[in-house]
Amino acid sequence: AKAVGTGRYVHYDPVMSEEVEARRRLEAEIRRSLHDGDFRLHYQPIVDMATGRVAAVEALVRWQHPDRGLLSPQEFIPLAEQSGLIGPLGDHVLRAACAEAAGWPGDLKVAVNVSAAQFGNPGLFDDIARALAATGLPPRRLEIEITETVLLENEERNVAVLRALADLGIGVALDDFGTGYASLAYLVTFPFSKLKIDRRFTGDILTRRECAAIVCSAATLGLSLGLTVVAEGVETADQLEVLRLTGVTQAQGLLFGAPMSAEAIARRLGSEMFA
Ligand code: C2E
Ligand code: CA
Ligand code: CA
Ligand code: CA
């Protein structure tokens, strides 16, 4: 054991140090991949219920790992958040999404996920403003997707940042609605423009009365507050048919397209223009 300060001892733990070592390695790989451009965005269409046309596109990050292939966000976002690398990674995502969206036809919005850890960065607002300025994307074409976690931590500071973003004309969407708690109070305090009903409710809309009831009341609530309401995770035509009865504004899910490469979404948007 090694003496630390006065009279306290830290025992050397080989398992702990292996974990620390693995974590360090992964952090170094994230840094390197940021430098090498191995983080890619995939884009998933969000369609308008009334017209069936794409109304917005959500950017979802992937890691094209040099040895391990394409990794999903769950495999690296948590570590990036813990290590502080979510700052540079989030900024990369934001800039790439804005640059891509600036080339899309019409008034399409791009939605970017911003996690609670990113709100810990006092430069977040400036980073977002700079990404818009650098790419020429108008603020009204950018949407930030946040979860309740953002609202639980540093409520006062984060609400100020969200207000400033909303004042610029940037959309603020509450993601995974219905999975946390106290959401209703937040609807009063925060400047949301959109509510995204979590896919666990949409997924069971045909099989569980409770889920149908939750989707219905969330849609009614959101619409009566003047928000755009999105149902996430729509996979079948039957689900879509029932969703029509709830009044939701937009839908997203495998039925309309899985997340796809920048080239594929650009093709899809281009072909819709002439449809
Ligand atoms: P999310 O924001 O709730 O994103 C929706 C997830 O649902 C995506 O998973 C998407 O591929 C998946 N999905 C879409 N339609 C369907 C469907 O019909 N059925 C099913 N079963 N799944 C569907 P993905 O891409 O693996 O992302 C997972 C999570 O990682 C996201 O959840 C988001 O919280 C986070 N994430 C993704 N990209 C970013 C990013 O750039 N920054 C941050 N901070 N987080 C991100
Ligand atoms: Ca999202
Ligand atoms: Ca979601
Ligand atoms: Ca989620």
Side-chain angles (χ1 to χ4, degrees):
K2 188 166 150 240
V4 177
T6 47
R8 289 200 301 123
Y9 289 87
V10 174
H11 292 275
Y12 176 72
D13 177 347
V15 175
M16 179 75 121
S17 88
E18 250 170 56
E19 259 173 42
V20 170
E21 198 41 54
R23 188 176 282 224
R24 290 243 168 81
R25 212 165 34 237
L26 199 53
E27 280 180 36
E29 286 176 357
I30 293 178
R31 276 205 188 84
R32 193 198 165 104
S33 279
L34 271 170
H35 177 268
D36 291 351
D38 295 335
F39 289 98
R40 306 280 161 72
L41 292 185
H42 279 187
Y43 295 92
Q44 189 175 33
I46 303 174
V47 305
D48 185 273
M49 287 291 283
T51 64
R53 288 181 162 250
V54 180
V57 172
E58 180 173 1
L60 295 155
V61 70
R62 269 86 184 105
W63 184 2
Q64 185 63 59
H65 191 280
D67 326 305
R68 292 196 283 147
L70 199 65
L71 302 182
S72 80
Q74 283 97 335
E75 296 174 85
F76 59 87
I77 291 279
L79 182 82
E81 288 175 345
Q82 289 158 26
S83 62
L85 286 168
I86 192 68
L89 177 58
D91 198 44
H92 168 77
V93 165
L94 200 64
R95 279 174 178 261
C98 290
E100 200 61 47
W104 293 341
D107 234 18
L108 278 173
K109 285 182 200 285
V110 66
V112 176
N113 293 283
V114 180
S115 65
Q118 293 175 259
F119 276 81
N121 164 21
L124 178 65
F125 177 86
D126 290 337
D127 285 351
I128 293 173
R130 265 198 296 272
L132 291 172
T135 57
L137 188 77
R140 70 188 145 74
R141 293 188 52 203
L142 176 63
E143 202 160 64
I144 299 296
E145 295 196 2
I146 64 160
T147 61
E148 268 186 22
T149 321
V150 170
L151 314 179
L152 289 170
E153 297 165 10
N154 297 304
E155 167 159 355
E156 260 167 49
R157 203 187 55 202
N158 293 350
V159 80
V161 174
L162 289 172
R163 285 238 158 80
L165 293 172
D167 286 347
L168 264 190
I170 295 168
V172 181
L174 181 54
D175 205 353
D176 302 345
F177 184 71
T179 59
Y181 59 93
S183 323
L184 301 186
Y186 292 132
L187 291 177
V188 179
T189 322
F190 289 87
F192 294 114
S193 50
K194 180 179 267 192
L195 212 63
K196 299 188 80 173
I197 303 175
D198 194 76
R199 70 165 187 261
R200 79 184 65 174
F201 305 117
T202 318
D204 281 332
I205 197 169
L206 295 172
T207 48
R208 299 197 51 187
R209 174 182 287 273
E210 297 88 344
C211 289
I214 289 168
V215 174
C216 266
S217 39
T220 305
L221 177 65
L223 293 170
S224 59
L225 291 169
L227 308 179
T228 301
V229 179
V230 187
E232 298 191 282
V234 183
E235 296 183 350
T236 70
D238 289 348
Q239 289 171 348
L240 180 63
E241 215 170 292
V242 175
L243 273 174
R244 289 204 183 285
L245 308 173
T246 69
V248 298
T249 333
Q250 297 173 350
Q252 176 178 7
L254 299 180
L255 180 63
F256 310 101
M260 58 190 93
S261 69
E263 298 75 42
I265 195 76
R267 264 199 307 278
R268 163 116 177 224
L269 297 172
S271 68
E272 268 202 2
M273 284 269 288
F274 302 101

